[in-house]
Amino acid sequence: MQDPKSFRTSSHITARHRTAWIESGPVDGPLIFFLHGWPELGVIWHRQLEHFARLGWRTVAPDMRGYGRSSVPTDICSYTIREIVIDMVELHDNLGGAPAIWVGHDWGAPIAWSMASHHEYRCRGVVGLSVPYMARGHAFANLVSLVDRDIYPRARYPVGQWDYWLFYREQFGKAAAQMDADVARTLSALYKPSRKEAFGKPAITADVRSRGGWFSEPLPPPDPSSSILTDYEFSAFVSAFTATGFSGANAWYMNDTANMIFADEAPHFGRISLPALFLHGEWDAVCQTVSGHFADPMRSDCADLTEEIIKAGHMLMVEQPEAVSGAIERWLSANRLFHQ
């Protein structure tokens, strides 16, 4: 496997933003973008970058706004989906602007979906991991309406697994401060292997407010050996979040009203007609899409949708990189999206 340090690194600076990215593959190859989520970095995709670079694609994984070497604005309103989509438009233009494949995981998925819904001419197809598409907007109220009440009885869990979202709203400074206090311990706690037996039970995110934060007890010393991240990834994450803190990453959760307005501006009522692929993590307890109703809106909001289940938790592209790359490759081939 290619050493992530050997990927090409670049940055693009405009008057409004700096986007840094890593890439691999031929510079004249067709573009495929990989957009990370919370709290990740572009390097989380290095296995997929290498896989598709070998197939002739120019593979690009940016550090998203608020992360790594990209800009980290201090005002919360700078973290709307609209602003982040503009970041990707500027990056896309800088790389030539040819129609691309957009792949997103977690919070990166709403950005990829938005490229397809708002900028169809920039896309050949779109792939979402973990977070399904909702034409009415990726926002707290819309997610709560889809909570599986068999797992989250309303009386005990009024907002289901999305309780942590309210913790950011109500205790934004405290949430970031808790994570910033010991970055290595925070990341070690967040990047544990998924447990199949945890699926179908309330997620850790469902009672964050009552515990006073993500972690109710002092965190143990960091143990990279028990992390799903490689030593290189863990070290890169610790270095990056020590420099930036978690405030920028957490601010993505703070702009629901603006995000719903942006979603409402999409042509064709937000319905995506491009080829779309959604990858479910079979044991993902937070973004629970295999059962329940979370993925239902996507099935009516996408005209040409393929779905595949990966035997993994939320971090499926890390836990099962070959399965994820294989699923995307098969979908590209089935839709004749290779090298057009």
Side-chain angles (χ1 to χ4, degrees), residues 137-159:
H138 183 70
F140 176 78
N142 294 336
L143 300 183
V144 171
S145 70
L146 300 168
V147 167
D148 186 341
R149 292 302 175 186
D150 291 335
I151 298 175
Y152 301 98
R154 194 176 302 274
R156 172 69 179 86
Y157 301 103
V159 298

Side-chain angles (χ1 to χ4, degrees), residues 151-152 193-204 283-286:
I151 298 175
Y152 301 98
S194 61
R195 295 184 299 116
K196 181 179 180 180
E197 60 272 18
F199 184 77
K201 300 175 183 177
I204 188 176
W283 311 316
D284 191 338
V286 179

Side-chain angles (χ1 to χ4, degrees), residues 121-171:
Y121 66 97
R122 295 182 179 274
C123 308
R124 293 161 58 190
V126 59
V127 183
L129 284 68
S130 302
V131 174
Y133 179 54
M134 281 187 281
R136 55 184 173 160
H138 183 70
F140 176 78
N142 294 336
L143 300 183
V144 171
S145 70
L146 300 168
V147 167
D148 186 341
R149 292 302 175 186
D150 291 335
I151 298 175
Y152 301 98
R154 194 176 302 274
R156 172 69 179 86
Y157 301 103
V159 298
Q161 67 268 47
W162 310 111
D163 183 76
Y164 74 104
W165 201 306
L166 290 184
F167 182 66
Y168 293 148
R169 282 189 186 175
E170 298 167 2
Q171 304 275 358

